[in-house]
């Protein structure tokens, strides 16, 4: 579990330039073994460039990175043996069946023959493709292809799994089942997950999130701490006399409340801690109360100045609908 041992990923002063463009500008962070670590940022922030350096596919222009204890430049082969990778763009062979794609990968990674059938079944059932394993991948839907890639990334039981925008185009149930499995997997196998996403609801699955903007990490913390840093909780109460409630809030708690959405509304640092005091000290009946926290959208906005919707220009419409449904 997170907390002990050598870092699974350790990055110091990492830079990558493409000509005049500095895509990654000297970033620093460490990911603990067993952690689910997310990179969140708008288009062009440098997320894929960072992942590609960590996976040894791109050479850093400056700085250093270690993955599973190995240096990404000097110990490339060791790094590659210890990682699984799901790319942002699909990399399956459409002429092969799902099973053949996985077998090919197992050969490349030296998965023992004796272990393969069970592992294959395990990963294919996880992504609900066991029944489709004999079909050519070119007949799969986009979401099925994505699921097969995730199964493939897990097949050789890597120590660190890199997922670059892993669930783009998947239906909500599949996304949920994949995240459930990933969480089980990291508990059972001490796997470390490093992912990038545009999706706030996926960022919530992470133990910690780095928010990246224009090549730099602008914030790094747990989702809870990031949200707490952004602003106050919003409290709404319903009473029989809103004007009296507003006056009482001003008098007893020095709070400026207004009526919004049909309820007396105000902001406090910690809503949950405030509510018991409110009931005890307001001095008038409260019919109902609700507390809402700042969302990760608010966090994202406050650090990048970009709304998540703008940053999600590439997401499909139904995905946005699915996100709305979860809020
Ligand atoms: N091979 C390349 N050659 C030149 N410029 C590149 C190359 N790869 C990335 N860049 C530039 O580096 C910057 C960061 O790109 P990157 O793909 O890392 O962003 P990202 O955060 O993954 O974005 P997205 O959310 O759109 O996937 C962008 O300005 C991009 O144009
Ligand atoms: Mg990318």
């Amino acid at each position: 579990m997170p907390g002990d041992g050598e870092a699974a990923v350790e990055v110091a002063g990492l830079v990558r330039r493409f000509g005049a463009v500095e895509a990654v500008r000297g970033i620093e962070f460490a990911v603990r073994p067993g952690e689910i670590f997310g990179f969140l940022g708008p288009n062009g922030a440098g997320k894929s460039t960072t992942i590609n350096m960590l996976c040894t596919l791109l050479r850093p222009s400056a700085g250093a990175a270690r993955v599973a204890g190995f240096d990404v430049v000097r110990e490339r082969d060791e790094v590659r043996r210890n990682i699984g990778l799901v790319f942002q763009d699909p990399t399956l062979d459409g002429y092969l069946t799902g099973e053949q794609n996985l077998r090919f990968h197992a050969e490349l990674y030296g998965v023992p023959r004796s272990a393969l059938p069970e592992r294959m079944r395990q990963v294919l059932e996880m992504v609900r493709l066991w029944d489709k394993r004999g079909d050519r991948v070119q007949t799969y839907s986009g979401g099925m292809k994505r699921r097969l890639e995730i199964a493939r990334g897990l097949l050789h039981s890597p120590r660190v799994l890199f997922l670059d925008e892993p669930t783009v185009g998947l239906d909500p149930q599949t996304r949920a089942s994949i995240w459930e499995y990933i969480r089980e997997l990291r508990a059972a196998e001490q796997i470390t997950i490093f992912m990038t996403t545009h999706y706030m609801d996926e960022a919530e699955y992470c133990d910690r999130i780095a928010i990246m903007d224009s090549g730099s990490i602008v914030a790094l913390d747990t989702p809870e701490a990031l949200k707490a840093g952004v602003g106050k909780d919003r409290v709404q109460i319903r009473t029989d006399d809103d004007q009296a409630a507003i006056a009482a809030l001003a008098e007893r708690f020095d709070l400026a409340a207004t009526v919004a959405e049909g309820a007396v509304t105000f902001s406090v640092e910690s809503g949950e801690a405030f509510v018991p005091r409110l009931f005890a000290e307001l001095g008038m009946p409260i019919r109902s109360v609700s507390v809402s926290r700042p969302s990760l959208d608010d966090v994202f906005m406050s650090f990048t100045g970009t709304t998540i919707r703008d940053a999600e220009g590439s997401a499909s419409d139904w995905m946005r609908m699915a996100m709305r449904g979860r809020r």
Side-chain angles (χ1 to χ4, degrees):
M1 283 279 101
D4 339 288
E6 194 179 2
V9 178
E10 204 168 1
V11 170
L14 199 63
V15 173
R16 175 67 205 206
R17 292 181 207 97
F18 297 105
V21 176
E22 202 169 34
V24 174
R25 304 183 176 187
I27 57 174
E28 313 262 353
F29 63 91
V31 181
R32 297 185 281 262
E35 192 169 26
I36 300 180
F37 189 89
F39 250 38
L40 186 67
N43 292 130
K47 304 182 299 292
S48 294
T49 303
T50 302
I51 278 214
N52 288 342
M53 286 191 282
L54 297 178
C55 293
T56 78
L57 301 173
L58 262 182
R59 264 184 98 92
S61 305
R66 298 178 78 78
V67 174
F70 301 105
D71 185 280
V72 298
V73 176
R74 289 194 307 275
E75 298 165 302
R76 261 171 65 143
D77 293 347
E78 287 86 347
V79 171
R80 288 182 181 193
R81 263 198 292 281
N82 283 286
I83 62 174
L85 180 54
V86 178
F87 292 99
Q88 183 164 357
D89 299 313
T91 59
L92 295 160
D93 189 333
Y95 287 99
L96 300 181
T97 66
E99 181 168 349
Q100 285 166 339
N101 268 281
L102 294 198
R103 282 195 183 283
F104 182 62
H105 181 86
E107 286 284 327
L108 281 180
Y109 278 86
V111 177
R113 289 256 161 91
S114 58
L116 186 58
E118 198 195 323
R119 185 68 179 166
M120 184 113 81
R121 185 173 186 125
Q122 194 183 8
V123 296
L124 283 172
E125 282 182 344
M126 181 267 291
V127 297
R128 305 211 178 91
L129 285 176
W130 178 247
D131 296 340
K132 297 279 182 190
R133 67 190 182 281
D135 296 356
R136 280 191 184 189
V137 167
Q138 63 193 5
T139 67
Y140 286 19
S141 70
M144 287 161 68
K145 286 180 188 157
R146 205 74 192 141
R147 278 143 59 193
L148 185 64
E149 293 203 298
I150 291 169
R152 186 181 61 180
L154 291 168
L155 190 63
H156 58 288
S157 306
R159 284 170 62 194
V160 184
L161 179 66
F162 290 92
L163 300 159
D164 196 0
E165 310 276 345
T167 55
V168 171
L170 302 186
D171 62 77
Q173 281 105 315
T174 308
R175 295 171 77 202
S177 85
I178 283 169
W179 279 105
E180 210 172 288
Y181 182 80
I182 284 174
R183 293 180 77 93
E184 277 171 27
L185 194 82
R186 71 102 170 248
E189 302 187 21
Q190 284 271 299
I191 194 170
T192 305
I193 315 282
F194 186 106
M195 58 167 295
T196 71
T197 188
H198 286 155
Y199 298 137
M200 290 298 164
D201 58 340
E202 290 199 339
E204 296 272 7
Y205 286 105
C206 299
D207 297 314
R208 288 188 304 150
I209 301 169
I211 296 182
M212 199 172 196
D213 192 32
S214 304
S216 301
I217 292 175
V218 296
L220 196 168
D221 217 323
T222 62
E224 279 313 309
L226 286 171
K227 285 187 281 190
V230 160
K232 298 176 169 185
D233 292 343
R234 194 162 73 134
V235 181
Q236 294 194 301
I237 59 174
R238 288 178 197 276
T239 65
D240 291 324
D241 185 343
D242 288 349
Q243 289 314 315
I246 288 171
L249 283 164
E251 188 187 317
R252 284 162 212 247
F253 301 101
D254 198 22
L255 286 169
T258 54
V259 177
E261 297 156 2
V264 175
T265 305
F266 54 94
S267 297
V268 291
E269 286 299 337
S270 172
E272 271 171 18
F274 181 73
V275 165
R277 275 188 64 204
L278 183 68
F279 276 87
E281 297 173 30
L282 188 66
M284 58 182 291
I286 299 169
R287 282 195 279 121
S288 71
V289 60
S290 76
V291 177
S292 53
R293 290 252 152 76
S295 68
L296 274 177
D297 297 76
D298 301 326
V299 175
F300 191 91
M301 179 74 189
S302 80
F303 284 108
T304 68
T306 317
T307 66
I308 194 64
R309 188 153 304 159
D310 288 341
E312 275 174 358
S314 59
S316 61
D317 285 334
W318 67 261
M319 185 61 81
R320 270 188 223 105
M321 277 159 52
M323 285 182 62
R324 272 203 292 275
R326 280 170 145 254
R327 210 109 319 112

